[in-house]
């Protein structure tokens, strides 16, 4: 695969009436092969601060010192944390500081650099990136933007007379709606901020570009969809978007999903969550919806009534998406992130069946529970399963609800599976976060099936809940 280089630019502006333009601007850029490059921001801010208060002859010394310090900071620990661990830890760690790896350094009074350990390689730790704010700004047109991204249309985000950071945040917020496994391809189409003098992106298929110059709005041949941050308006300049994304048969499904997202953010349970948890929940709901639509394209036979209706309504859109490089180049990428002994597609299929099916034959439920039991023998396999059961998707409810199944075999398999999950500390946290009624039922039934006990439990570390 192509090795990515990650860059972070920091621009400071100091007002000074004595200068020709009334201000002095200094900028600093750090590039690294690590996607954690934004963790160096405190060091970069200190370096720029020194550059402002000292003469220009010392600038090279300050930058050279910063370069040597950054080069000396180890980042090998980032490779020791698996993707499923990152997903599971993000929802089980109660103390925010526990999500940071504090690495020692020595630069101008700064003694440590904080790396966010739960950040994935296709995510960006940029303050203010928010799907929720995107929905507030553009309303239902957020769905049009998302569909245009997946259809590889050219998208321009315009922020005339607005801070550059606002434009960058909006572009990154658009990417945050896309399922993580497709995001690596979209990165190569993304230019968070550009100018008229830099038009190399015009040769990129389906680019997503941010700009502040109003001349971009006049260059309608450069974009298919214009998102105006100043007015909140979305302007369409492409017949496919007008025909399929605005008037297609799937429009009712998009309206239903958008309303579902709005109601979710206003629900009682969400009011007790932190802003970060609400944001993660919105992303999960949107990404799950997209993934389910894409999965329908390759699924033949055994469709539920709801899946049959959805596939028929979105047939043109699904065919368009499946023909794009987003899908073609990443169709098997997610499997490599998980344990070789875990068939992730089977896990997803089983969990979706438990979530959606109102009535299942006893034999089918028993087969699913037995398969899940076989797929949770090791810590890594259990983490693979828990990563697909975030609390925003009902957590362990799809599994734990089979505790009330009339079949004794199904109930026994459920207790055995929950005991497997409980053998690691992350699983203990997930079980403790179950509905109280389910938890009491499980605790009572454990005594009825004593032969399902797993090996010794791990102790829950401090700071986790």
């Amino acid at each position: 695969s192509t090795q990515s280089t990650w860059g972070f630019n920091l621009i400071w502006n100091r007002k000074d009436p004595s200068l020709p333009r009334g201000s002095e601007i200094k900028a600093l850029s750090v590039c690294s092969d690590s996607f954690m490059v934004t963790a160096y921001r405190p060091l970069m801010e200190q370096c720029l601060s020194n550059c402002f208060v000292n003469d220009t002859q010392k600038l090279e010394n300050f930058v050279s010192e910063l370069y040597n310090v950054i080069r000396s900071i180890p980042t090998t620990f980032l490779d020791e944390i698996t993707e499923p661990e990152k997903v599971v830890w993000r929802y089980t760690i109660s103390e925010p500081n526990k999500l940071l790896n504090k690495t020692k350094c020595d630069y101008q009074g700064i003694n440590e650099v904080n790396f966010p350990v739960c950040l994935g390689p296709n995510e960006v730790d940029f303050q203010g990136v928010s799907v929720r704010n995107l929905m507030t700004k553009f309303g239902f047109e957020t769905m049009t933007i998302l569909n245009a991204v997946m259809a590889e249309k050219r998208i321009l985000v315009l922020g005339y007379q607005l801070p550059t950071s606002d434009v960058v945040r909006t572009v990154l917020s658009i990417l945050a709606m896309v399922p993580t496994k497709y995001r690596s391809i979209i990165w190569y189409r993304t230019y968070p901020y550009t100018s008229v003098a830099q038009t190399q992106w015009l040769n990129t298929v389906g680019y997503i570009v941010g700009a502040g110059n109003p001349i971009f709005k006049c260059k309608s041949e450069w974009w298919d969809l214009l998102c105006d941050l100043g007015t909140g308006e979305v302007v369409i300049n492409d017949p496919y978007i007008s025909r399929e994304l605005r008037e297609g048969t799937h429009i009712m499904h998009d309206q239903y999903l958008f309303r579902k997202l709005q109601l979710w953010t206003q629900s009682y349970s969400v009011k007790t969550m932190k802003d970060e948890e609400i944001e993660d929940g919105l992303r999960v709901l949107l990404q799950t919806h997209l993934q389910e639509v894409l999965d329908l394209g390759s699924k033949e036979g055994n469709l539920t009534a709801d899946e049959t209706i959805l596939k028929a309504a979105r047939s043109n859109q699904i065919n368009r998406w499946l023909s794009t490089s987003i899908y073609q180049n990443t169709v098997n990428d997610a499997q490599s992130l998980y344990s070789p002994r875990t068939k992730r597609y089977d896990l997803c299929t089983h969990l979706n069946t438990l979530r959606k099916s109102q009535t299942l034959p006893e034999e089918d439920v028993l087969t699913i529970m037995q398969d899940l039991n076989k797929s949770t023998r090791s810590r890594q396999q259990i983490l693979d399963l828990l990563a697909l059961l975030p609390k925003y998707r009902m957590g362990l409810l799809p599994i734990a609800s089979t505790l009330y199944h009339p079949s004794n075999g199904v109930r026994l398999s459920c207790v055995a599976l929950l005991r497997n999950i409980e053998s690691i500390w992350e699983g203990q946290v997930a079980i403790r976060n179950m509905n109280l009624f389910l938890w009491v039922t499980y605790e009572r039934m454990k005594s009825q099936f004593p032969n399902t006990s797993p090996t010794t439990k791990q102790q829950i570390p401090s700071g986790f809940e």
Side-chain angles (χ1 to χ4, degrees), residues 149-168:
V149 172
M150 298 302 292
E152 289 188 329
K153 293 300 179 180
R154 301 171 301 168
I155 298 175
L156 170 65
V157 176
L158 179 64
Y160 177 53
Q161 292 185 334
L162 292 175
T164 302
S165 57
D166 287 358
V167 178
V168 173

Side-chain angles (χ1 to χ4, degrees), residues 69-310:
V69 169
I70 290 178
R71 291 271 295 178
S72 67
I73 297 175
T75 58
T76 54
F77 67 89
L78 298 174
D79 300 325
E80 299 173 0
I81 306 173
T82 66
E83 292 304 312
E85 281 180 321
K86 292 178 182 179
V87 174
V88 174
W89 289 0
R90 185 178 297 189
Y91 304 117
T92 56
I93 298 178
S94 61
E95 298 178 18
N97 288 337
K98 296 282 186 179
L99 291 168
L100 302 173
N101 182 290
K102 300 180 181 296
T103 305
K104 294 186 179 300
C105 69
D106 185 13
Y107 179 74
Q108 302 288 327
I110 299 177
N111 300 318
E112 63 183 21
V113 174
N114 297 323
F115 291 94
V117 297
C118 291
L119 196 68
N122 294 323
E123 297 179 282
V124 174
D125 183 28
F126 194 86
Q127 188 175 9
V129 174
S130 172
V131 172
R132 193 179 188 183
N133 291 343
L134 194 70
M135 291 172 57
T136 302
K137 170 63 70 174
F138 295 110
F140 177 69
E141 295 292 1
T142 304
M143 303 304 298
T144 304
I145 297 170
L146 177 58
N147 291 328
V149 172
M150 298 302 292
E152 289 188 329
K153 293 300 179 180
R154 301 171 301 168
I155 298 175
L156 170 65
V157 176
L158 179 64
Y160 177 53
Q161 292 185 334
L162 292 175
T164 302
S165 57
D166 287 358
V167 178
V168 173
R169 287 189 187 100
T170 302
V171 172
L172 297 180
S173 297
I174 291 174
L175 295 187
M177 295 190 290
V178 179
T180 307
K181 74 173 184 177
Y182 301 112
R183 215 173 291 162
S184 59
I185 296 299
I186 297 179
W187 278 127
Y188 297 103
R189 298 163 40 195
T190 304
Y191 300 82
Y193 198 83
T194 189
S195 66
V196 178
Q198 300 171 327
T199 57
Q200 70 278 14
W201 42 268
L202 287 173
N203 298 321
T204 305
V205 176
Y207 50 74
I208 307 170
V209 175
N213 194 327
I215 196 173
F216 280 86
K217 191 169 187 176
C218 302
K219 295 280 187 178
S220 58
E221 68 274 15
W222 286 1
W223 47 268
D224 300 318
L225 192 73
L226 170 68
C227 307
D228 193 327
L229 290 180
T231 63
E233 182 184 14
V234 173
V235 182
I236 295 175
N237 185 39
D238 179 78
Y240 170 81
I241 299 177
S242 299
R243 183 181 67 255
E244 297 292 339
L245 304 188
R246 275 284 186 84
E247 302 174 2
T249 56
H250 68 276
I251 194 71
M252 288 188 296
H253 294 277
D254 279 346
Q255 291 172 340
Y256 170 76
L257 175 63
F258 186 76
R259 183 55 180 161
K260 178 181 177 181
L261 295 173
Q262 288 181 315
L263 291 175
W264 185 83
T265 59
Q266 300 166 8
S267 63
Y268 175 78
S269 59
V270 171
K271 292 180 180 179
T272 62
M273 295 182 183
K274 301 175 183 177
D275 289 341
E276 296 83 359
E277 293 177 318
I278 297 174
E279 176 64 22
D280 278 344
L282 282 173
R283 296 185 189 186
V284 167
L285 290 170
L286 273 170
Q287 294 170 13
T288 300
H289 162 75
L290 278 178
Q291 190 59 59
E292 289 177 350
V293 172
L294 286 167
D295 288 344
L296 278 177
S298 56
K299 188 175 181 181
E300 299 293 342
N302 298 323
L303 295 177
T304 66
D306 290 342
E307 288 176 336
T308 302
I309 295 172
L310 181 60

